[in-house]
Amino acid sequence: MKDLLNSHRRDTRMGEHEDVWSGPGSMLDPDFLSALGHPARLQALVLFEQRPASARELAALVDLSPSATLYHVRKLRDAGLIEQVDSRQRRAFVERVWRTSTTGWADVERMLTDVAARTP
């Protein structure tokens, strides 16, 4: 997993040299920023970083309906911020279990909370 806060450095895995600050899949990519456009998504990233969980488990924590939570989970998945790590049969459907594809989300949440507290 990449460390989110240090991801501005060039990625040298497998011979790739990609600047994550610009271009598709970067921190400044509109899809990336859009994926962070709802407080429930940041909460999801913090939870999924702490432990893998399902959208149903997330719904109980963020006080949203399961369908609304699933919408947010799909946005995070489509942006590449989370990945499926497991699935479990639950009655008539399969429940997917997610985790973050990068680390550092709790730090981001703390920084944003600090900034918001200082804003008049």
Side-chain angles (χ1 to χ4, degrees):
M1 270 191 244
K2 282 185 179 178
D3 177 356
L4 178 70
L5 296 178
N6 294 316
S7 63
H8 64 281
R9 296 188 184 124
R10 292 197 182 271
D11 188 350
T12 57
R13 289 177 295 165
M14 297 173 33
E16 295 178 19
H17 297 284
E18 181 180 339
D19 188 346
V20 297
W21 286 108
S22 61
S26 75
M27 292 179 72
L28 296 180
D29 179 58
D31 292 335
F32 177 90
L33 294 173
S34 174
L36 298 178
H38 192 282
R41 293 186 203 144
L42 184 55
Q43 289 176 305
L45 289 167
V46 172
L47 169 68
F48 294 150
E49 181 180 13
Q50 292 170 350
R51 66 178 176 85
S54 68
R56 179 186 54 83
E57 293 166 323
L58 175 63
L61 295 173
V62 298
D63 198 31
L64 290 174
S65 70
S67 60
T69 304
L70 186 55
Y71 169 80
H72 293 299
V73 167
R74 286 182 180 143
K75 287 287 198 183
L76 293 171
R77 179 203 59 202
D78 292 347
L81 298 175
I82 61 173
E83 58 194 12
Q84 183 179 336
V85 293
D86 199 7
S87 61
R88 17 184 205 226
Q89 189 65 38
R90 193 160 165 81
R91 297 187 192 107
F93 65 93
V94 175
E95 180 177 66
R96 291 178 178 92
V97 178
W98 304 96
R99 73 170 179 204
T100 58
S101 53
T102 58
T103 60
W105 294 107
D107 296 330
V108 170
E109 182 184 44
R110 267 192 302 279
M111 286 187 291
L112 292 173
T113 301
D114 289 347
V115 169
R118 287 185 247 149
T119 305

